[in-house]
Amino acid sequence: MELDLSDQPEIVQQAYGYAVQAYELALSWLLSPAAWSQFALLVAAYLLAVLITRRLRPALARVIDPGDKENILTAPRRFVLQFLPLLLPLLAYVLTGVGEGIVRSIFDSGSVIAFGKRVFLFMAARALVRDIITDPFLKLLGRYALMPIMALYALGLLEVVNTLLSETVVGVGNIRFSLITVVRGIIFGSLLFWLGQWSNTQTSALIEKNQELRPSIRQLSIKVVEFLIFGVAFILLMNIMGINLSALAILGGAIGVGLGFGLQKIASNFISGVILLLEGQATVGDFVSLDGGEEGTIVKMTARAVILETFDGRWIVVPNEDFIITRVVNYSDSGSANRYEAPFSVSYDTDINLVPDIIEKAVAQHPEVLDDPYPPDCELRGFGDSGIDFAVEFWVNGLDDGPNKYTSDVLFLIWNALKDADIEIPYPQRVVEIKGGLPQSSP
């Protein structure tokens, strides 16, 4: 029975036409001996694949599984092992292909066989998404992109949908593009940039393991590889979407104007970051202090800024430009030692000629205090109001007042050494003179 849909939208008429074609195809299959024989072949191929898989899969798992052994083939064997769920649908596909030639030679028809092979490929894609892929993003992409595409392919509608999307053109301003371009861009763009992120992570880990390179060179290499990977991904995506790269020249000009005005600070910080990585005067792990008062350990260097971590756990984001145009003190460059001093005072009753030797010997006992470049040096600094002022200078590898408390430890050593030598540490003293004498009390 045919329906009159002339007053309906074109898409409804097309859907009705496809439904009629599917009905006529199914009816022809149900009434055709050739179709029934092909259905029988598909069922036989699938059942045979099930029997073979039940015996073959455990044997393959025992052969491929490396167990606890660690060698050069361990990682490849574990990678191959995870694809065993594909054995059943692919084996059914192969067995169906073997019998397809026989059926076509007898009945000169193989449409049902072709449909069955597409169904087996759909089953393989389903097993891939459900049992093999573990990455959350790839599983999401497989569920909402690969599975619908394979379902359309199994039903023989992929070309129809592709043509429909190609003919549907949308426009934004003066730009016009087809829906298939949008779909292709979303799918391949997501896949390319995930692959770029994965490649960047693996490459960064490989570069970080190379301790022969300076930290600054490692950071620069990581950034260069990152830009190259995502640059190539962007160019591939433009080609996949069919966008002429020469059309990006106008966009590049607009970006250039933007950099000259609103984005000049971003461009300045980016270029400053490249200079920092090339010179290597400050790198991750260094403790630095800037003229603006910011100080801390560099924990990360990005394209725009350097992140410092203070001793109290706070993070400070400092633009790269500040490291170029202001004075920076690096306390950790090349692992050099740092000098600190601990001030103290002794009483005026003390023989000050004995103090330097006592203090220098006491401070030298600290396990972190160095003899090179200079041993501890006790110096007379002045004569104060309450006592004689001294200070001991000492060198250590590391920074004080963070995880290390060098000055505190040295002051403890000074206190104990002075106590053992019976040298008094004075209290604040003042001499008060009352002119005219004390007032006389009345009787």
Side-chain angles (χ1 to χ4, degrees):
M1 181 180 65
E2 295 186 1
L3 299 178
D4 184 12
L5 301 177
S6 58
D7 57 340
Q8 298 297 323
E10 183 179 356
I11 187 172
V12 175
Q13 298 179 29
Q14 290 181 352
Y16 176 71
Y18 293 138
V20 171
Q21 292 178 15
Y23 172 76
E24 292 176 353
L25 178 63
L27 186 62
S28 64
W29 283 0
L30 289 175
L31 300 178
S32 171
W36 280 105
S37 63
Q38 293 176 55
F39 274 121
L41 176 63
L42 291 175
V43 173
Y46 181 77
L47 293 178
L48 182 59
V50 170
L51 293 176
I52 296 176
T53 301
R54 287 180 179 178
R55 295 180 176 272
L56 185 59
R57 182 170 175 175
L60 289 176
R62 287 193 298 269
V63 173
I64 300 174
D65 190 1
D68 297 332
K69 298 179 181 179
E70 295 292 339
N71 51 52
I72 192 173
L73 297 177
T74 298
R77 290 172 66 180
R78 287 174 179 167
F79 178 76
V80 173
L81 184 64
Q82 64 183 348
F83 287 95
L84 285 182
L86 296 178
L87 183 61
L88 174 59
L90 293 182
L91 188 58
Y93 179 87
V94 172
L95 292 176
T96 303
V98 172
E100 182 179 10
I102 301 174
V103 173
R104 285 186 179 275
S105 63
I106 298 176
F107 298 101
D108 194 22
S109 174
S111 57
V112 178
I113 291 282
F115 172 75
K117 292 172 67 176
R118 295 196 299 268
V119 170
F120 290 146
L121 289 180
F122 172 81
M123 294 172 59
R126 181 172 176 271
L128 178 68
V129 174
R130 184 187 61 185
D131 302 325
I132 298 175
I133 297 177
T134 57
D135 183 84
F137 175 78
L138 289 183
K139 188 176 284 290
L140 182 68
L141 192 63
R143 186 176 300 165
Y144 294 104
L146 179 62
M147 293 303 297
I149 291 174
M150 293 304 298
L152 291 173
Y153 174 72
L155 296 174
L157 299 176
L158 185 59
E159 288 297 329
V160 176
V161 174
N162 182 62
T163 303
L164 181 62
L165 293 177
S166 299
E167 294 174 351
T168 305
V169 179
V170 295
V172 178
N174 295 328
I175 303 175
R176 301 181 65 81
F177 47 85
S178 63
L179 286 182
I180 192 63
T181 302
V182 178
V183 173
R184 192 184 296 125
I186 293 174
I187 296 175
F188 285 98
S190 302
L191 187 60
L192 279 174
F193 281 95
W194 176 88
L195 185 60
Q197 183 64 42
W198 179 84
S199 302
N200 181 56
T201 302
Q202 299 298 319
T203 307
S204 299
L206 184 62
I207 294 175
E208 286 289 353
K209 291 179 181 179
N210 191 347
Q211 299 299 322
E212 296 179 0
L213 298 176
R214 286 191 308 164
S216 60
I217 298 299
R218 291 203 299 268
Q219 291 294 320
L220 179 60
S221 301
I222 290 172
K223 294 301 179 185
V224 170
V225 169
E226 181 178 358
F227 284 120
L228 286 176
I229 289 175
F230 285 102
V232 171
F234 177 76
I235 293 174
L236 288 176
L237 179 59
M238 293 299 100
N239 286 325
I240 290 173
M241 295 181 64
I243 297 177
N244 189 356
L245 295 179
S246 62
L248 297 178
I250 299 177
L251 179 61
I255 293 176
V257 174
L259 290 176
F261 292 96
L263 302 179
Q264 58 181 346
K265 280 292 183 183
I266 296 177
S268 175
N269 285 317
F270 175 78
I271 296 173
S272 299
V274 174
I275 294 174
L276 281 175
L277 293 174
L278 284 174
E279 291 184 346
Q281 298 302 318
T283 187
V284 174
D286 288 352
F287 185 90
V288 296
S289 175
L290 281 72
D291 275 353
E294 303 90 351
E295 64 177 16
T297 302
I298 299 176
V299 295
K300 189 175 183 180
M301 301 180 72
T302 67
R304 186 189 66 85
V306 174
I307 300 176
L308 307 181
E309 183 178 13
T310 63
F311 285 137
D312 53 5
R314 293 181 175 87
W315 279 24
I316 304 175
V317 180
V318 182
N320 290 329
E321 187 181 25
D322 289 0
F323 279 79
I324 301 297
I325 64 176
T326 63
R327 184 176 61 180
V328 179
V329 180
N330 192 337
Y331 293 91
S332 307
D333 189 29
S334 300
S336 59
N338 297 305
R339 190 191 71 176
Y340 299 97
E341 66 175 40
F344 64 96
S345 299
V346 298
S347 171
Y348 275 99
D349 297 330
T350 305
D351 183 358
I352 61 174
N353 297 296
L354 303 177
V355 173
D357 185 59
I358 294 173
I359 298 303
E360 289 171 1
K361 289 181 179 179
V363 175
Q365 295 176 2
H366 193 286
E368 301 295 331
V369 172
L370 305 174
D371 291 330
D372 185 29
Y374 300 102
D377 181 26
C378 184
E379 300 177 348
L380 175 65
R381 292 295 173 86
F383 302 100
D385 295 336
S386 303
I388 303 173
D389 298 329
F390 283 87
V392 60
E393 298 175 347
F394 59 94
W395 290 77
V396 292
N397 275 325
L399 299 172
D400 195 16
D401 199 33
N404 307 307
K405 300 291 183 182
Y406 299 123
T407 303
S408 175
D409 293 345
V410 167
L411 288 174
F412 271 107
L413 294 172
I414 293 173
W415 172 274
N416 294 327
L418 294 179
K419 286 295 184 182
D420 292 342
D422 293 327
I423 296 176
E424 179 184 356
I425 298 177
Y427 294 100
Q429 299 178 15
R430 294 291 184 272
V431 176
V432 179
E433 179 181 353
I434 302 177
K435 294 185 177 181
L438 294 174
Q440 299 293 327
S441 60
S442 58

